[in-house]
Amino acid sequence: MTTYSYLRLEARVTQMSLFGPSGSGPDPKPVDDRRVRLQLLITVKAAPNPSEKYGETVCVAGLRTDTLRTSWVRLYPINFRHLDSDEAFRKYDIVSVEAKPARQDQRRESWKPMMDTLRKEHQLDTWKSRRQLLDPCVEDSMCRLNRDAQARPDAQSLALVRPSEVRGFKVTRHEGWTPEEQRKIEAYVSQPDLFSGRSRTPLQAPRFKAAYHYRCHESGCRGHKQHVIDWELVALQRRLHGYSDAALAQALEAKFLDEMCAPGRDVAFYVGNQAKRVHTFSVLGVYWPKR
C-alpha cells in the first residue's frame, strides 16, 4: 500500500468510528454479474473442507475498507493448497480482489473471488491498528442475529459479537469425514495433476473439534454453544501432531480459552452461519486485543 493510500485509509477509519455499525443489515448484492474490485481487511480464515475439484477449499471473510459504510464480505471458494506464494495472505492483511456476487448463495455478504486478481496491500500488525477498524463493528447480541436469521434467509450472516461471559471451551474427538466428504477426497486424489506432475495428497481430518459456550449481552440470553471452525484450531493440531490426545486437548484449551479469553483480553467472536442452515452460527475466529 502506498503512503497516500494508507493515509486515505487512516482518514476513513476515523470517519467510520464516528458512525459505528449499521443496524440495517448487509447491502443487497449488485443486480448484475460484473466483476467488482473489493478491498478488505482479512479477519477470518475458516478450516478447510474437502472438495472434489480443489482438494480443499476454505471460506475467507473480512471487513470492506473501500466504502464509508462498514460491511462484511465472505469470499468462497478459495483453494489455499494451490495458491501461488505471492497470492497467499494472512489474517489482518488488507487485500484487494475482483469478485462476483455469489448467486447460488442467498447470503448477501457472499462473493466469488477471482483469485488471479488478488493483491496484498498492507498488513495491520498491531492490535491498535486493527481496533480502529474493528471496534466500531463489535455487536453485543448473538440472540438478535439468531432471530433475524430465522426470520429471513438473507439476514446478516457475519458479525463480530462480544460475549458477556465465556462459560467454557469444550474439546471433543473429531468423528472423521462423512461418506460424502470422503467421496470428494477420493475423487480429487484420483485425478492426475497436469501442472505439477505430483501425486495429490488427501486432506486429513483433525483429531479434535471444539465449541465455545458463552452468553451474549442480551437480557435473558440462555447461552450459545457454537462450534469453532477457525483455521487456527486445525493448524495448531498439525503443529502439535506428536502430542498425545490428552496433551493436545489440553493445549487447545490453553490457547483458545486460557490465553485468548483471559481476563485481560477484550474478547469478541467472529461468527457466521451456513448457507444451507442459516439458523446455525459457528465461531469463525477470535478477536482478542488487550483491554
Side-chain angles (χ1 to χ4, degrees), residues 213-230:
H213 297 245
Y214 69 94
R215 291 179 64 251
C216 71
H217 286 265
E218 181 159 320
S219 176
C221 174
R222 295 184 177 182
H224 306 279
K225 176 185 176 182
Q226 294 175 340
H227 287 288
V228 180
I229 58 173
D230 188 353

Side-chain angles (χ1 to χ4, degrees), residues 194-208:
L194 301 178
F195 296 100
S196 68
R198 295 175 295 183
S199 60
R200 293 176 164 180
T201 57
L203 176 64
Q204 300 296 319
R207 268 194 276 171
F208 291 104

Side-chain angles (χ1 to χ4, degrees), residues 21-46:
S22 171
S24 59
D27 290 331
K29 293 175 182 176
V31 296
D32 58 56
D33 290 333
R34 286 179 295 179
R35 293 185 178 190
V36 176
R37 179 159 285 278
L38 310 174
Q39 184 188 70
L40 62 152
L41 171 66
I42 301 296
T43 57
V44 165
K45 186 167 72 170

Side-chain angles (χ1 to χ4, degrees), residues 38-43 60-66 71 73-75 93-97:
L38 310 174
Q39 184 188 70
L40 62 152
L41 171 66
I42 301 296
T43 57
V60 166
L63 190 70
R64 286 195 68 172
T65 57
D66 57 352
S71 60
V73 171
R74 176 187 294 104
L75 300 177
D93 274 350
I94 292 177
V95 305
S96 65
V97 65

